[in-house]
Amino acid sequence: DRMQKETKAVQMRADQSHEIGVGPMVDEALERWFTYPFRLNNPKTIALVRRWLEANDPIIYPKIYRVLVEGNAELVNIIQSIRCPTLVMTSENDHGNSPEMTHRMADAIPEANSVILPQLMHMALAEDPDQFNGHLVPFLRNALNV
């Protein structure tokens, strides 16, 4: 089952963060979060995100990561009660918040819309704010009637 596979991958990263700390996981995270061309051409952004990751409290970070694993079942039930305009968005190559997960969430929320940003990864907003905001801004304008 796809959902179990996603949860198992997050569980593995949560366990790693507890056992070995965040430091050794940083390069792997940056590779999952940004496309190769962006990493190559934007060293200052990559260095900034690296510093953010390395600054995480080594005791608290694994505990927060566990919420991603253990909170999933509870969230599945809660999101069904959302009754406002909802946009669920991810990137085509985001493995932590996959397109499949995005579609499942949008299907569970009454009248939600989903958007999959082509070619991007987890940090789409940082990598391509124009593409990200090209979907977010019209959604917000429509939802707020402005």
Side-chain angles (χ1 to χ4, degrees):
D1 170 61
R2 175 77 177 169
M3 196 164 158
Q4 288 176 333
K5 187 176 180 182
E6 292 164 349
T7 301
K8 188 173 182 177
V10 175
Q11 175 70 55
M12 184 183 75
R13 288 193 294 274
D15 292 344
Q16 283 179 321
S17 71
H18 178 72
E19 293 165 10
I20 63 174
V22 176
M25 300 172 61
V26 171
D27 287 332
E28 183 183 310
L30 293 171
E31 288 177 14
R32 280 194 325 271
W33 291 359
F34 295 99
T35 64
Y36 176 74
F38 186 87
R39 291 192 316 269
L40 187 66
N41 295 315
N42 297 277
K44 287 182 181 179
T45 300
I46 298 303
L48 175 63
V49 175
R50 176 184 298 282
R51 285 193 305 273
W52 290 342
L53 287 168
E54 290 172 345
N56 279 297
D57 184 304
I59 294 173
I60 294 174
Y61 186 80
K63 293 176 182 179
I64 294 170
Y65 221 116
R66 294 206 61 80
V67 171
L68 297 172
V69 176
E70 296 168 3
N72 194 34
E74 188 175 328
L75 289 175
V76 169
N77 295 324
I78 291 171
I79 66 173
Q80 295 176 25
S81 65
I82 296 174
R83 296 291 185 265
C84 64
T86 305
L87 176 64
V88 186
M89 184 163 44
T90 196
S91 300
E92 177 181 13
N93 297 308
D94 188 338
H95 303 291
N97 301 298
S98 69
E100 295 84 3
M101 186 184 303
T102 297
H103 292 305
R104 284 195 312 265
M105 289 177 69
D107 289 346
I109 301 168
E111 299 184 48
N113 295 310
S114 62
V115 170
I116 308 301
L117 303 171
Q119 301 177 348
L120 294 171
M121 299 180 87
H122 187 68
M123 296 291 270
L125 176 58
E127 184 165 341
D128 192 343
D130 291 337
Q131 185 178 174
F132 188 95
N133 288 325
H135 295 279
L136 180 61
V137 171
F139 167 78
L140 291 173
R141 284 189 176 135
N142 185 54
L144 299 171
N145 294 317
V146 292

